[in-house]
Amino acid sequence: MKLRFLLALCIYGYTAGVLATCGLMWWLGDRWWLATLVLFGPRWVFGLPLLALVPLAIGVRPRWLWPLGLAAVVLVWPMMGLNLPWRTLGDKSDTDLCVVAWNVGQGLGEEARFLDMLGTLKPDLVAVQECPVWRRWQIPKPWRVRRAGEMLVVSAYPIVDKSVWRHRSERKHGYPDVHALYCVVKTPAGNVGFANIHLETPRFGLSTVLDRETLLDLEHAENADSRLERRRQESEAMVEWLGRFPEPKILAGDFNMPVESTIYRRYWSRYRNAFNWAGTGFGYSKQTEIRGYVYGTRIDHILTDGHWRAVRCYLGPDLGSDHLPLVADLTRESVETQDADKTTAVESQMLKE
């Protein structure tokens, strides 16, 4: 009886722990350093207890499988971010623009394989981050290219204007100060504002509370939270800056935050996320290695306003970086749909006020 009681305690305690961790990640991720560690860590590790608890539950009391099933669903869906593209089921819309976002990884990505990808996918717009100034890639015509710092925009159509948003806060470890390159592109569908975005990494803040010997160094917790606030201010300022441009917008790049982040949901969820809309699976574009173990996170995004929607979104081939390219096929929305989106946005804003 004691063993059965202990097993029940473990099963229900584990399920409650998964639910609490999921809530912590969603409501305090990118707001509190501890929740942010969960947000950017390998979330699948929370599923390891299932390997022992499921066989024990089957052998002792099968009805205990239902709380474990609940924990598994929560783990795979809201925690690990499984996405099913229910909005695009049966959608056979033609592709008006193919967009690619790729972080080169401080020049580790291979130029030759990138050029092969251009020839294979034939994208219309490409946003490249961490392409060092000293490495001048030779991208052939008819591609049009604009650069700013380590940002690169490659377009199949004429680029008629560009603007740069520079990071205002303290620079550290040589982190680039250009965090957005906005280009006005003349496409067959009209002028499009294409923003290549690279937001500040959370790594600098989280590293202050991590210690090789004690795991956590709480003396620097306040510093970690202050860096989270700086990242929030960065998103707030950049969204305000992007709002000044009148063109229909497509944003692409390394946002350095997953969709569960409170910063992302507060400032960037006003745009449509192409993978949320039309992607299948987890979409882990960033591969992080810790002591020989590699795990994925989804911090690269392609976002659109109400003028565009994704019909397909998927990860491209490995080009030698720690990021995989993110590819989205976009179609232009009808005028009626755009008007409906504007009406919904206005009504939502009135309800908030």
Side-chain angles (χ1 to χ4, degrees):
M1 292 295 293
K2 289 183 179 180
L3 291 177
R4 181 174 293 185
F5 173 77
L6 288 176
L7 179 58
L9 190 64
C10 290
I11 288 175
Y12 285 98
Y14 168 72
T15 302
V18 169
L19 294 173
T21 303
C22 182
L24 179 77
M25 183 186 75
W26 272 88
W27 298 111
L28 294 175
D30 265 342
R31 185 181 298 171
W32 179 35
W33 67 268
L34 185 58
T36 306
L37 282 175
V38 177
L39 191 67
F40 287 94
R43 305 176 196 172
W44 67 266
V45 298
F46 295 98
L48 290 178
L50 289 171
L51 299 178
L53 293 177
V54 168
L56 289 172
I58 293 174
V60 176
R61 183 162 293 184
R63 70 181 184 184
W64 285 343
L65 288 174
W66 77 262
L68 295 178
L70 173 63
V73 170
V74 171
L75 176 69
V76 173
W77 179 34
M79 279 194 70
M80 294 180 62
L82 177 65
N83 190 73
L84 299 176
W86 57 270
R87 298 182 186 89
T88 57
L89 290 177
D91 189 345
K92 298 181 180 180
S93 302
D94 293 331
T95 299
D96 293 314
L97 288 176
C98 176
V99 178
V100 175
W102 180 44
N103 185 316
V104 177
Q106 287 297 335
L108 297 177
E110 297 183 12
E111 177 182 357
R113 295 170 71 179
F114 174 67
L115 296 178
D116 287 342
M117 182 196 69
L118 291 181
T120 302
L121 295 179
K122 294 180 173 56
D124 299 290
L125 298 169
V126 184
V128 181
Q129 306 84 48
E130 291 195 38
C131 187
V133 175
W134 51 264
R135 183 166 181 167
R136 297 292 186 180
W137 284 10
Q138 300 300 314
I139 299 176
K141 295 182 178 180
W143 298 104
R144 288 81 165 179
V145 179
R146 292 293 185 275
R147 293 182 174 90
E150 297 185 358
M151 312 285 281
L152 191 70
V153 166
V154 181
S155 172
Y157 301 110
I159 299 174
V160 297
D161 195 12
K162 81 169 188 177
S163 300
V164 173
W165 193 90
R166 296 184 181 277
H167 192 36
R168 303 290 184 185
S169 63
E170 170 194 357
R171 295 179 65 185
K172 187 172 182 178
H173 303 304
Y175 203 69
D177 64 340
V178 174
H179 278 203
L181 171 59
Y182 184 91
C183 294
V184 179
V185 182
K186 188 176 182 180
T187 75
N191 284 356
V192 174
F194 183 58
N196 183 357
I197 292 174
H198 189 194
L199 297 176
E200 182 176 329
T201 176
R203 185 173 63 252
F204 300 144
L206 295 179
S207 62
T208 63
V209 293
L210 295 177
D211 187 273
R212 289 182 177 273
E213 297 180 358
T214 62
L215 294 181
L216 295 178
D217 183 359
L218 301 183
E219 292 183 359
H220 296 92
E222 185 176 348
N223 180 46
D225 283 333
S226 68
R227 288 187 175 275
L228 293 179
E229 173 60 18
R230 278 178 26 184
R231 290 178 57 236
R232 185 200 66 77
Q233 293 173 359
E234 178 189 32
S235 283
E236 181 181 41
M238 189 179 292
V239 166
E240 190 276 331
W241 176 74
L242 290 168
R244 302 174 189 173
F245 299 99
E247 299 85 11
K249 295 178 185 64
I250 299 171
L251 320 179
D254 180 1
F255 287 70
N256 266 314
M257 63 183 75
V259 295
E260 299 88 1
S261 161
T262 56
I263 298 175
Y264 177 92
R265 288 185 285 121
R266 181 173 181 177
Y267 297 106
W268 301 105
S269 62
R270 66 192 67 189
Y271 296 98
R272 290 177 178 173
N273 188 300
F275 192 86
N276 284 3
W277 197 269
T280 302
F282 297 101
Y284 293 158
S285 56
K286 171 68 167 68
Q287 307 303 306
T288 302
E289 181 177 352
I290 298 179
R291 297 182 179 181
Y293 168 72
V294 179
Y295 68 93
T297 49
R298 181 158 78 95
I299 60 175
D300 301 277
H301 306 291
I302 296 174
L303 310 180
T304 65
D305 61 13
H307 293 81
W308 302 90
R309 78 171 188 277
V311 291
R312 282 169 295 277
C313 189
Y314 55 94
L315 295 176
D318 185 353
L319 302 181
S321 168
D322 57 347
H323 289 251
L324 296 174
L326 180 65
V327 185
D329 293 332
L330 307 179
T331 187
R332 190 171 178 85
E333 285 281 32
S334 64
V335 175
E336 293 79 6
T337 304
Q338 293 174 30
D339 291 341
D341 287 343
K342 290 179 181 178
T343 301
T344 302
V346 170
E347 291 174 348
S348 299
Q349 185 63 33
M350 291 175 64
L351 288 174
K352 290 180 180 180
E353 295 176 350

